[in-house]
Amino acid sequence: RNLLDMDTFSKSDPVVVLFVQGSGSSEWKEFGRTEVIDNTLNPDFVRKFVLDYYFEEKQNLRFDPLGSHDAVLGAQDFLGQAFVALGEVIGSQRGRLERALTGVPGKRCGTILLLAEELSNCRDIVTMQLCANKLDKKDFFGKSDPFLVFYRSNEDGTFTICHKTEVVKNTLNPVWQPFTIPVRALCNGDYDRTVKIDVYDWDRDGSHDFIGEFATSYRELSRAQSQFTVYEVGRGARAGGRGAPHTGADPPLRPQVLNPRKKCKKKKYVNSGTVTLLSFSVESEFTFVDYIRGGTQLNFTVAIDFTASNGMPSQPTSLHYASPYQLSAYALALKAVGEIIQDYDSDKLFPAYGFGAKLPPDGKISHQFPLNNNADNPSCAGIEGVLESYLQSLRTVQLYGPTNFAPVINQVAGAAAQVTDGSQYHVLLIITDGVISDMLQTKEAIVTASALPMSIIIVGVGPAEFE
């Protein structure tokens, strides 16, 4: 919106170039560019950028609008730029973020409006159970050991394996355990795409004997929600057509091609047995983005280990030692995790606690003291505010012990228990140098909190063993 006008006789012909920054790198690489829209300062671009999104990484993006006034010669005017983290866009209301463009001294460059949507539009998870009846006997001294192999058909006509059942030993009438598979994996979200199922007899040496096959689709499978569906083994995709199921005593829907391996041996061959779909149920799997879009707010709390085992903060050997050139191990861990989490915390106010220290003036040991020294409001403004309060506490408290986690876990669990309607989610980051002193109480606190909307991230710093 309101881009700079760099053309003399008309408005700019803008194009936006997206650059991404490699993980752990300062280098920017071009990812792609939009189409050019002629003669406008308020373009609405159609072309989308499809990016893989990783919650656990800081994914830095740079958008450079250019005025492409001579597409033939490739001459382009710089119209500004905007820096943004992908998490900021996804964490913004309705996935919509507006950011001012900068970079042209002394001029207002306008704004860029970014919208993000998740492309995986099929979130359904299927649970199904199958059994078979009168399968061909393949073993000389016993019955078959059958298992099923599911294949998803691809756009080019090939098939990709997507599931194997367990082997049921020594039976021609196996009942397989129920299993769960994403609809994306089964048919890529295309309900009418062929799903091919092979039936094998397991052999110890891996040369499994082929019993037969049948073909179906997600749509046909889903009918089993209201009725059993029976498939004849030895008919279908291997001979070039889709295998049609039949239900109950109904005849097959259309003539089928027999299993070619059997056909040449037995003139009276009917099939190699039947497979029955006993049950089929579908549930939607909601993603992290769904919850954020639905209005769930993340509340980020930090707890930092102030026990004496970290070493005196004034000594270079201490894990709390910060030189003029480098942050301490604790500060590095805090920034690494906190800068990702903060994109999803709307108010950017983070309660921050220390544990395992003696507090002035009476030297009382505390396992959940506010780093900003304000018991009524322990929140700090942003990760920088947490760092500032952490450094201030290092100058005023005495590192002591023991290393108790339970008090701060129970503190956050108490806050999480107050709102359980899905609108609030709590993340507790504990940064520590070693062995937990109150392991039994910590386990109890985690078990108690396990039904609450909260996660606990524990980051170990220093050379200790963290098993």
Side-chain angles (χ1 to χ4, degrees), residues 408-425:
V408 74
I409 293 174
N410 289 328
Q411 171 93 11
V412 176
Q418 294 177 17
V419 183
T420 56
D421 62 0
S423 65
Q424 303 290 323
Y425 194 89

Side-chain angles (χ1 to χ4, degrees), residues 15-20 29-35 47-51 62-64 66:
V15 57
V16 174
V17 183
L18 169 61
F19 294 86
V20 297
K29 293 184 177 179
E30 181 175 333
F31 182 86
R33 53 182 66 201
T34 66
E35 73 277 20
R47 189 169 300 160
K48 297 176 176 65
F49 300 115
V50 180
L51 294 136
R62 190 184 94 209
F63 294 87
D64 285 11
L66 304 174

